[in-house]
Amino acid sequence: MTETAVHAPAWLPVALSPSAAALILLGVILSSSIFADAVARRTRLPRISLLVMVGVLVAVIQQLVLEVPDARPLNGLGEPLIQVALVMVAFLLGGELTRERLQSIGPLLLILSLSVIGVGALAVGIGLMALGFPLVVAVSLAAISVATDPAAVQETVHASGDTRLRARLLLGIVAIDDGWGIVVFGLAMALLGWGLTGAGGGELALMEAGWELGGALLLGSAVGLPAAWLTGRLKPDEPTQVEALALILLLAGLSEWLGVSSLLAAMITGVLVANLSTHHTRSFNEIEHIEWPFLVFFFVLSGASVDLYHLDDALGLTLAYILLRLLGRYLGGLLGVRLARERQAELPRNIGLALTPQAGVAMGMALLAAEKFPAHGTVLLSAVVGSTVVFEILGPVLVRRVLR
């Protein structure tokens, strides 16, 4: 199959092939991270927010200036890059959940995560229904609101250098958020399917959610158990980059093939490697060395995926969802801190606001909800994509504020 050349300006001597265009765009995206670093140092704005804004600028140029609304940056290459970045983040977050850390903050982590997602989902669902939005839209967005972007939270926490209890808790919460999100979303889709399409639709949605969770646990164990024994054997006390990349690519590819949560599978693998690898102490060192370029692609491409032509279709819903999710996260964090009792003094009351970033998982849930309820698909997708850009820009700012 031959590649179709990209139309180039008349003054260029040769046509631009798709492979050349993709390579140039990859170079431009990585170069934007250098620009973001320079601006972040001078303005104290999080570089993640700046990278998402670069992506939005790409969308503006592509859709409004070049008038190519249906084209995707990097065509089919963008999705694998985003997937690999998310799997890397989930693997590293799983490594944060060591036995010693869970023994010290496990109960507190559970209290905070449940209070934030519980109060947050209720605030979004009840608030949207009170404002007159359809039941399907309100329940779907309430379930989608549970998801948090682990990449934005982890990168901001690590960039701050903070190792206090609040920072460790944030890393722990985003490590298990994907599991909570899948459970809540699966149950919500099952209940909606049961009520609107009959028992068969609800049972099917419940089975799909069960496989996405259970299959991820099985895959994470199947990869993590041998990896915990094998990594670090080739080079004493340190895994090689080849081993690290092999783990990440296997998890990303097998998860997509089997239709299970790649984030949850990678997190389980990270937990197993961190707790069972007794023959070396730097299991995640090589992943950290190569993680940032993939995160740059993730944040820029997330911003570039916004559909500017349909943002105004759900402007009211998008604004309501953003405000209600922020309110729910704040109130959920406040309740969690109050329930913490003896550790209250170490935790900020606004800790829930540090869990507002939202990206790939939320978009995936929105796509599934749109397929299941096509009558509301356009408005759901527009609201989630529009709010995702806001949360990715605003979220890291709130994380830094909570850590301060």
Side-chain angles (χ1 to χ4, degrees):
M1 188 169 119
T2 58
E3 292 184 323
T4 305
V6 176
H7 291 293
W11 48 268
L12 283 178
V14 292
L16 189 63
S17 68
S19 58
L23 289 171
I24 292 170
L25 187 52
L26 286 173
V28 170
I29 290 175
L30 287 177
S31 300
S32 69
S33 69
I34 303 172
F35 167 76
D37 277 334
V39 174
R41 282 196 297 269
R42 288 167 174 77
T43 62
R44 299 185 67 183
L45 287 171
R47 57 180 177 174
I48 294 172
S49 302
L50 293 170
L51 288 172
V52 175
M53 292 170 69
V54 169
V56 174
L57 180 61
V58 170
V60 170
I61 293 173
Q62 176 184 273
Q63 297 175 34
L64 302 184
V65 178
L66 300 179
E67 297 182 347
V68 188
D70 297 326
R72 294 176 300 164
L74 299 177
N75 293 322
L77 186 59
E79 286 79 1
L81 288 173
I82 289 174
Q83 184 80 346
V84 169
L86 286 173
V87 169
M88 283 183 175
V89 169
F91 180 72
L92 291 173
L93 287 173
E96 302 283 345
L97 301 178
T98 59
R99 189 180 297 107
E100 295 78 12
R101 181 165 295 180
L102 287 175
Q103 286 173 349
S104 63
I105 67 170
L108 188 57
L109 188 152
L110 195 62
I111 290 171
L112 270 173
S113 65
L114 287 175
S115 62
V116 168
I117 67 167
V119 174
L122 286 174
V124 172
I126 295 173
L128 290 177
M129 283 191 287
L131 291 172
F133 290 101
L135 177 66
V136 171
V137 172
V139 174
S140 297
L141 287 178
I144 291 170
S145 72
V146 173
T148 305
D149 174 20
V153 176
Q154 186 224 31
E155 169 58 25
T156 308
V157 171
H158 284 177
S160 71
D162 198 329
T163 57
R164 291 174 296 171
L165 176 63
R166 64 187 67 183
R168 300 199 306 274
L169 274 175
L170 288 177
L171 292 176
I173 291 172
V174 296
I176 60 175
D177 250 10
D178 186 48
W180 293 134
I182 293 168
V183 171
V184 173
F185 183 77
L187 290 174
M189 292 299 100
L191 290 173
L192 286 173
W194 192 283
L196 299 177
T197 62
E203 289 173 356
L204 180 61
L206 199 58
M207 288 174 61
E208 289 175 352
W211 169 244
E212 194 168 357
L213 271 175
L217 292 172
L218 291 173
L219 176 61
S221 301
V223 175
L225 288 173
W229 185 84
L230 289 170
T231 55
R233 299 286 181 183
L234 297 179
K235 187 176 180 182
D237 199 41
E238 185 178 350
T240 64
Q241 284 188 351
V242 173
E243 292 174 342
L245 273 174
L247 270 181
I248 297 304
L249 294 175
L250 277 173
L251 285 166
L254 289 173
S255 303
E256 185 173 351
W257 178 45
L258 297 173
V260 302
S261 168
S262 58
L263 295 188
L264 191 57
M267 187 192 76
I268 296 298
T269 301
V271 171
L272 291 173
V273 172
N275 287 281
L276 299 179
S277 296
T278 56
H279 57 282
H280 66 81
T281 57
R282 290 187 286 176
S283 306
F284 306 92
N285 196 37
E286 296 301 325
I287 295 292
E288 291 174 348
H289 286 163
I290 60 176
E291 177 193 26
W292 178 242
F294 290 94
L295 289 179
V296 171
F297 294 134
F298 171 73
F299 293 121
V300 173
L301 293 174
S302 293
S305 67
V306 64
D307 188 346
L308 300 173
Y309 288 96
H310 292 96
L311 281 182
D312 57 347
D313 293 347
L315 185 59
L317 176 61
T318 305
L319 290 175
Y321 174 64
I322 290 170
L323 294 175
L324 288 169
R325 188 168 182 269
L326 286 171
L327 176 64
R329 295 266 145 165
Y330 173 76
L331 293 177
L334 185 62
L335 175 63
V337 170
R338 298 220 171 200
L339 293 174
R341 295 179 181 173
E342 70 274 5
R343 308 297 288 271
Q344 277 189 38
E346 301 176 65
L347 299 174
R349 298 174 64 187
N350 63 347
I351 191 170
L353 291 177
L355 299 167
T356 54
Q358 192 170 46
V361 176
M363 289 186 185
M365 290 178 177
L367 286 169
L368 291 174
E371 289 176 6
K372 188 170 182 63
F373 307 107
H376 305 281
T378 301
V379 71
L380 276 172
L381 282 172
S382 298
V384 172
V385 172
S387 62
T388 292
V389 174
V390 175
F391 287 134
E392 285 293 274
I393 294 173
L394 180 63
V397 178
L398 294 174
V399 175
R400 288 178 60 171
R401 183 178 180 83
V402 168
L403 292 177
R404 282 202 300 269

